[in-house]
């Protein structure tokens, strides 16, 4: 989630680490079941803070291109023991998925990542996103529909 929103893997890992530290520092006494949704709620807020800093830097001074040196964590998911053709195909698929996720509105992307990648329940996702379970279901459904459409179009074009 942090990588897709911030587009810089080092910064994304820093934000995730800061989030973990804040969670332990401020919420260590909370029940374990509440920690995962709290983590994502804090993470979402820290990502937004970082995005505000980017906008401020852009407004106040020369903007550095955040895309420079950006790494894709999806490429790391490819099986290194596979042959070169399989690795290239897996990296290409990862790039397509990353591209499609970047096309989603923020709330849909959050719902999708929390439900599908992080395997949170609807209730946990609702707590993390600070919305109702019904809203999570709507955002998740729309994200799935949009991703299917984007990826089907992308593969039909042969990209």
């Amino acid at each position: 989630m942090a990588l897709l929103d911030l587009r810089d893997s080092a910064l994304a890992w820093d934000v995730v680490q800061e989030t973990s530290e804040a969670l332990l520092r401020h919420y260590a006494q909370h029940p374990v079941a509440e920690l995962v949704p709290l983590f994502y709620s804090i993470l979402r807020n820290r990502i937004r803070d970082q995005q505000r800093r980017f906008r401020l830097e852009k407004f106040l001074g020369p903007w550095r291109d955040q895309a420079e040196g950006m790494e894709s964590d999806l490429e790391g998911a490819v099986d290194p023991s596979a042959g070169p053709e399989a690795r290239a195909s897996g990296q290409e698929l990862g790039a397509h998925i990353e591209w499609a996720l970047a096309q989603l509105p923020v709330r849909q992307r959050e719902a999708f990542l929390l439900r599908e990648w992080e395997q949170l329940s609807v209730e946990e996702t609702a707590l993390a996103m600070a919305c109702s379970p019904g809203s999570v279901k709507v955002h998740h459904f729309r994200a799935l529909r949009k991703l299917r459409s984007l990826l089907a179009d992308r593969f039909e074009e042969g990209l």
Side-chain angles (χ1 to χ4, degrees):
M1 186 183 313
L3 179 63
L4 287 171
D5 286 337
L6 299 174
R7 311 300 281 162
D8 181 319
S9 65
L11 181 59
W13 283 115
D14 287 346
V15 169
V16 168
Q17 177 139 3
E18 290 170 7
T19 301
S20 299
E21 290 170 0
L23 181 73
L24 292 174
R25 187 172 46 251
H26 299 290
Y27 299 101
Q29 305 305 326
H30 281 68
V32 174
E34 292 179 14
L35 294 180
V36 173
L38 280 169
F39 173 83
Y40 287 107
S41 182
I42 296 167
L43 179 63
R44 189 181 76 245
N45 291 333
R46 289 187 179 267
I47 289 169
R48 287 183 183 152
D49 289 344
Q50 190 62 49
Q51 290 170 329
R52 283 187 202 108
R53 283 188 205 107
F54 286 157
R55 285 192 295 273
L56 184 61
E57 285 178 18
K58 185 177 181 180
F59 180 74
L60 295 177
W63 177 251
R64 294 184 322 233
D65 185 5
Q66 292 297 320
E68 247 176 44
M70 184 178 71
E71 299 172 354
S72 170
D73 279 356
L74 292 175
E75 289 176 9
V78 176
D79 181 10
S81 64
E85 288 180 18
R87 279 193 305 244
S89 176
Q91 287 174 342
E92 185 178 333
L93 177 60
H96 289 307
I97 293 170
E98 188 173 358
W99 169 84
L101 285 169
Q103 305 306 306
L104 293 176
V106 174
R107 298 295 278 177
Q108 288 180 20
R109 184 171 52 241
E110 286 177 354
F112 176 81
L113 292 174
L114 292 172
R115 292 282 294 129
E116 300 298 329
W117 284 10
E118 300 301 333
Q119 298 293 303
L120 296 185
S121 69
V122 171
E123 292 76 22
E124 291 171 327
T125 303
L127 283 171
M129 292 178 63
C131 64
S132 69
S135 183
V136 167
K137 291 176 184 178
V138 169
H139 289 304
H140 183 240
F141 173 77
R142 290 179 181 166
L144 289 172
R145 186 175 58 192
K146 180 75 171 181
L147 287 171
R148 284 184 189 120
S149 171
L150 288 169
L151 291 171
D153 291 347
R154 190 112 169 153
F155 285 110
E156 285 174 6
E157 293 172 3
L159 298 175

